[in-house]
Amino acid sequence: AQSVSQHNHHVILSEAASLELGCNYSYGGTVNLFWYVQYPGQHLQLLLKYFSGDPLVKGIKGFEAEFIKSKFSFNLRKPSVQWSDTAEYFCAVNARSGNTGKLIFGQGTTLQVKP
Amino acid sequence: DSGVTQTPKHLITATGQRVTLRCSPRSGDLSVYWYQQSLDQGLQFLIQYYNGEERAKGNILERFSAQQFPDLHSELNLSSLELGDSALYFCASSRTGGTVDTQYFGPGTRLTVL
């Protein structure tokens, strides 16, 4: 069965600090990978996605993620965080083998950015 | 605004009761997904429909059922409610329901079971 692990449950950073959130997945086949963000009181929004090609993907709001197949990882990065990045971040995977887009989510990482 | 709508926004009910959550997908999307977000279980996939037919099933309890109607809106029915069913229920939609689709999430329905 697929599973997703996000190592950091709660991260506190000061503005302008760099961010890296870890995500590892467990699945033997080919996957699609996603990062979603949930701002306080809002719905999940897609930050970025990886389906194939260049393993370094760029998303909205200056976020990027790198897919490292050998490590089953898809870490999220941002060089300089802002107070408005305070939110919960979810990594998710979808197995390409089935004819379904169902997502398996990690537990989420709460990011708190101090002004 | 993702274009996915969910009603109601909040629902408070008692144990043993039955509730219905409603979701309208984005215009043009044929597939609807339901997810449950709770403190102890995180975000879990419940069920997916594509053009009225069930396509995939996840950790959905037997007390829960869903359907997708001809106009593509979907309803999630929760019965014999227990305290542990208190959670945020999200609906998402996508164009084809396949593996290369992007899902767009609704604002969620917060269910509180007292």
Side-chain angles (χ1 to χ4, degrees):
Chain A
Q2 305 158 47
S3 66
V4 179
S5 178
Q6 292 181 239
H7 316 296
N8 321 97
H9 294 296
H10 199 158
V11 173
I12 302 174
L13 295 172
S14 297
E15 273 193 317
S18 64
L19 169 72
E20 180 157 4
L21 301 182
C23 172
N24 284 88
Y25 66 93
S26 171
Y27 182 67
T30 307
V31 295
N32 297 319
L33 296 152
F34 305 81
W35 275 98
Y36 279 85
V37 62
Q38 188 176 25
Y39 297 104
Q42 294 191 27
H43 60 89
L44 284 155
Q45 299 174 41
L46 182 68
L47 268 181
L48 47 78
K49 61 188 178 186
Y50 173 79
F51 287 165
S52 63
D54 188 344
L56 185 62
V57 292
K58 294 192 185 301
I60 61 171
K61 305 187 182 191
F63 286 91
E64 65 179 30
E66 185 175 14
F67 171 49
I68 303 179
K69 191 174 180 180
S70 60
K71 294 184 177 179
F72 298 89
S73 71
F74 190 56
N75 292 354
L76 181 71
R77 300 194 291 247
K78 186 171 184 179
S80 176
V81 295
Q82 301 171 322
W83 176 79
S84 58
D85 293 324
T86 295
E88 190 154 15
Y89 292 80
F90 293 92
C91 180
V93 302
N94 162 255
R96 293 239 207 110
S97 59
N99 186 26
T100 168
K102 74 175 187 183
L103 295 174
I104 307 300
F105 283 91
Q107 314 92 300
T109 297
T110 301
L111 172 64
Q112 184 182 351
V113 180
K114 293 183 174 179
Chain B
D1 184 1
S2 66
V4 179
T5 61
Q6 290 187 248
T7 56
K9 207 167 183 176
H10 301 278
L11 201 46
I12 302 173
T13 188
T15 53
Q17 295 299 304
R18 173 189 168 94
V19 297
T20 298
L21 313 184
R22 183 189 167 104
C23 168
S24 292
R26 291 188 322 152
S27 177
D29 284 358
L30 298 177
S31 194
V32 167
Y33 304 78
W34 286 97
Y35 293 88
Q36 179 194 57
Q37 185 180 31
S38 62
L39 281 174
D40 52 344
Q41 300 286 334
L43 252 173
Q44 290 211 318
F45 167 73
L46 294 178
I47 197 163
Q48 177 196 4
Y49 279 83
Y50 173 74
N51 207 19
E53 300 288 325
E54 181 184 306
R55 179 169 280 191
K57 213 166 186 174
N59 299 325
I60 187 165
L61 299 171
E62 282 189 17
R63 300 183 285 108
F64 296 1
S65 65
Q67 59 185 125
Q68 186 179 27
F69 294 86
D71 67 352
L72 300 177
H73 91 271
S74 177
E75 292 180 357
L76 179 67
N77 300 296
L78 316 175
S79 61
S80 303
L81 285 167
E82 302 175 359
L83 296 177
D85 298 327
S86 295
L88 198 48
Y89 290 85
F90 285 108
C91 167
S93 74
S94 73
R95 198 71 51 175
T96 68
T99 60
V100 291
D101 260 4
T102 296
Q103 291 178 40
Y104 295 89
F105 283 76
T109 293
R110 183 169 294 282
L111 173 66
T112 303
V113 182
L114 301 175

